[in-house]
Amino acid sequence: MALVGEIVRKMIYRNLFLIWILVAGFFNVTYAQTSVVTTASYKGTVGNYPIAMQLRQQRRNDTLSGSYYYLRNGREKVLILMEC
């Protein structure tokens, strides 16, 4: 009788483990989403000052962000544009 109870207990644990694996896999597949980011680089002027600008658009959450810097000051002095 104790042997049958032990076998049933092992089968229950094995089934619970398999259910847990299936649920974890389902959530991983459900929440996996592709994120497409488009980046564009421009060079131009602001008034008489030459600048380089980079814009990034992320389609999944529909945001636009970027940065620019004055060519005379160099890349280390980047100005960040706010996300919108």
Side-chain angles (χ1 to χ4, degrees):
M1 191 70 152
L3 183 62
V4 172
E6 184 70 23
I7 292 172
V8 169
R9 187 170 56 86
K10 285 183 181 181
M11 287 175 54
I12 290 172
Y13 286 146
R14 186 180 70 209
N15 288 340
L16 287 175
F17 180 73
L18 291 174
I19 290 171
W20 182 80
I21 293 291
L22 289 173
V23 168
F26 173 74
F27 281 115
N28 284 336
V29 170
T30 301
Y31 291 112
Q33 296 179 359
T34 302
S35 179
V36 177
V37 177
T38 304
T39 303
S41 297
Y42 300 100
K43 285 190 178 181
T45 59
V46 173
N48 293 330
Y49 302 102
I51 66 163
M53 178 183 285
Q54 185 176 47
L55 297 173
R56 288 174 294 283
Q57 177 193 18
Q58 188 171 5
R59 292 186 187 168
R60 189 175 94 199
N61 57 0
D62 201 24
T63 60
L64 181 67
S65 62
S67 62
Y68 72 97
Y69 63 92
Y70 293 98
L71 294 176
R72 292 180 186 161
N73 295 341
R75 287 182 192 251
E76 58 275 352
K77 294 188 179 180
V78 173
L79 301 167
I80 306 296
L81 303 173
M82 298 295 291
E83 286 189 7
C84 55

